[in-house]
Amino acid sequence: MFATTTTTMSSRVRVMTGDRSARTPARTVRARRCASSGIARASSGSDDVVPLMVRAARKEKVERAPAWMMRQAGRYMKEYRDLAVKHPSFRERSETTDLIVDITLQPFRAFKPDGVILFSDILTPFPAFGIDFEIDDYKGPMLEKTIRTKEDLKMLHEVDLSKVEFVAESLKILRQEVGNDAAVLGFVGAPWTLCTYIVEGQSTSTYKTIKSMCFNNPDVLHSLLSSVADALAVYVGFQIDAGAQVIQVFDSWGGQLPPHMWEEGSKPYID
């Protein structure tokens, strides 16, 4: 169930409760894959208290608006900077259970926000989809292979969740550590944003190739968007089953599209 949308010039963020029964199974392929009769519960143990952020995301009446940091860990914390010196590889920090848990909890211990967001990256599930990548300290994400043609689509395969088991392990530990003091958030990148990397092969200031595909090869682009959306639905369900109570969907590069194109090229694959 999508509850809150925040839009800026450069990105769009959508918040979804971790309730797998709240979706209508017949709505879309992605919804069918996420739907089940179970619920990712917002309480732990015998305590029935539900975190404020979960109640707000469900559109329940709450005593105040929840407060949390969209990107919770990072360079603004000395504790994080010190840890990054010891573990300079971002992928190591974001793909090692102990480090993920420690980094995720740093701002929670310092500020006690209403939401604790998993320390990860929007590209983290790529290997589970069939896409390898590296992160260069200066250039950012780098993909060896891109998908730009119908033939290239064969690179994608069924989601292999064993490649992201550290995500589930981290979420389970975080639920135990946080209890009901805050909501535990998982997150994914929106299909459009992830496809900008898959098509371009790296970060870019113009997004020329994928924008050209909107006009020159729309069928391939929409097939790619649909495939990525289906894979993300599996990954979202995986996070919910592991303990995520709320899911944030980051459409970081949605602002590269004018509103009418975003409505066609991004929004349907989030919904």
Side-chain angles (χ1 to χ4, degrees):
M1 176 174 119
F2 290 117
T4 305
T5 303
T6 302
T7 305
T8 67
M9 289 295 289
S10 60
S11 67
R12 293 173 170 87
V13 178
R14 182 163 287 190
V15 178
M16 179 175 69
T17 58
D19 183 343
R20 290 163 69 88
S21 66
R23 291 168 174 259
T24 304
R27 186 176 178 189
T28 63
V29 172
R30 292 172 290 286
R32 284 196 296 271
R33 290 192 178 184
C34 280
S36 78
S37 59
I39 295 176
R41 295 191 178 276
S43 61
S44 63
S46 59
D47 191 347
D48 292 329
V49 175
V50 178
L52 172 67
M53 187 172 183
V54 174
R55 289 184 281 123
R58 290 174 178 171
K59 297 186 178 180
E60 297 177 10
K61 186 176 181 180
V62 293
E63 57 274 24
R64 62 174 175 81
W68 81 105
M69 285 162 276
M70 187 175 75
R71 300 201 175 191
Q72 200 156 306
R75 290 187 292 266
Y76 66 90
M77 294 194 72
K78 183 179 184 300
E79 187 178 359
Y80 176 83
R81 295 196 302 271
D82 291 343
L83 186 146
V85 171
K86 296 178 183 178
H87 303 278
S89 167
F90 180 83
R91 289 197 65 176
E92 179 192 5
R93 297 195 297 275
S94 62
E95 297 181 13
T96 304
T97 301
D98 291 346
L99 295 177
I100 294 169
V101 172
D102 186 22
I103 294 170
T104 301
L105 291 176
Q106 286 176 0
F108 178 65
R109 291 190 293 257
F111 310 119
K112 290 295 187 292
D114 295 311
V116 176
I117 186 165
L118 177 75
F119 182 75
S120 187
D121 190 81
I122 59 173
L123 272 59
T124 293
F126 270 11
F129 306 164
I131 301 170
D132 293 324
F133 74 98
E134 296 296 337
I135 295 182
D136 184 276
D137 288 341
Y138 300 100
K139 297 180 181 179
M142 305 287 291
L143 278 64
E144 183 178 345
K145 296 180 180 180
T146 58
I147 296 179
R148 299 177 180 178
T149 68
K150 186 176 180 179
E151 185 68 19
D152 292 339
L153 288 170
K154 295 178 181 178
M155 286 173 50
L156 300 172
H157 57 60
E158 289 294 318
V159 181
D160 181 2
L161 293 173
S162 68
K163 293 185 178 295
V164 287
E165 189 58 39
F166 52 86
V167 170
E169 293 171 353
S170 301
L171 286 167
K172 290 173 183 176
I173 295 171
L174 288 168
R175 281 295 301 275
Q176 295 173 351
E177 292 289 330
V178 174
N180 294 320
D181 293 336
V184 172
L185 288 78
F187 77 91
V188 294
W192 164 263
T193 287
L194 294 188
C195 285
T196 63
Y197 292 102
I198 295 171
V199 171
E200 301 286 348
Q202 61 183 353
S203 298
T204 171
S205 60
T206 61
Y207 301 90
K208 181 173 64 175
T209 305
I210 192 169
K211 288 178 180 177
S212 296
M213 284 183 71
C214 292
F215 301 98
N216 300 332
N217 211 346
D219 291 343
V220 170
L221 179 57
H222 284 287
S223 293
L224 175 60
L225 285 162
S226 184
S227 295
V228 170
D230 288 344
L232 286 173
V234 175
Y235 185 50
V236 166
F238 177 69
Q239 292 186 55
I240 292 171
D241 288 341
Q245 297 160 289
V246 178
I247 301 291
Q248 281 194 172
V249 182
F250 288 83
D251 198 0
S252 305
W253 307 126
Q256 289 290 323
L257 293 171
H260 72 282
M261 290 185 67
W262 184 83
E263 290 285 337
E264 178 181 348
S266 184
K267 185 176 184 292
Y269 299 98
I270 298 174
D271 292 341

